[in-house]
Amino acid sequence: MSKIYVDKEDVKVGTIFIGNVNKAKFKVIKLEKDNVNNTKVVVFADLSSGRVFHANIDTFCRCNISIVK
């Protein structure tokens, strides 16, 4: 069985990912620190629509995604 999760070390600003299910492409635009929970937050944008999303890095890494470049 192939690995479907990404490692936290691979999540960097400028990295482009693709959804393995819906084939959506998105780019990490910022990494922030959540002062309330003291965790890292990934800010990423959908490359086709430009919409911006936020996700806890642990949640983001558990998504079924692959690195494009």
Side-chain angles (χ1 to χ4, degrees):
M1 186 163 126
S2 64
K3 180 179 169 188
I4 61 169
Y5 303 128
V6 296
D7 294 323
K8 290 180 188 180
E9 297 81 29
D10 295 332
V11 180
K12 297 179 175 118
V13 175
T15 305
I16 297 176
F17 291 89
I18 187 167
N20 293 330
V21 175
N22 62 2
K23 304 301 181 202
K25 286 187 180 178
F26 51 94
K27 181 178 184 177
V28 176
I29 56 174
K30 191 189 310 187
L31 296 172
E32 298 178 337
K33 182 180 176 189
D34 180 0
N35 292 327
V36 175
N37 299 324
N38 201 22
T39 60
K40 194 180 285 187
V41 175
V42 179
V43 182
F44 56 100
D46 183 319
L47 293 179
S48 64
S49 70
R51 291 182 63 190
V52 176
F53 303 92
H54 297 75
N56 177 294
I57 193 161
D58 293 323
T59 303
F60 183 84
C61 290
R62 285 191 304 265
C63 292
N64 190 354
I65 55 178
S66 298
I67 296 175
V68 175
K69 61 178 178 178

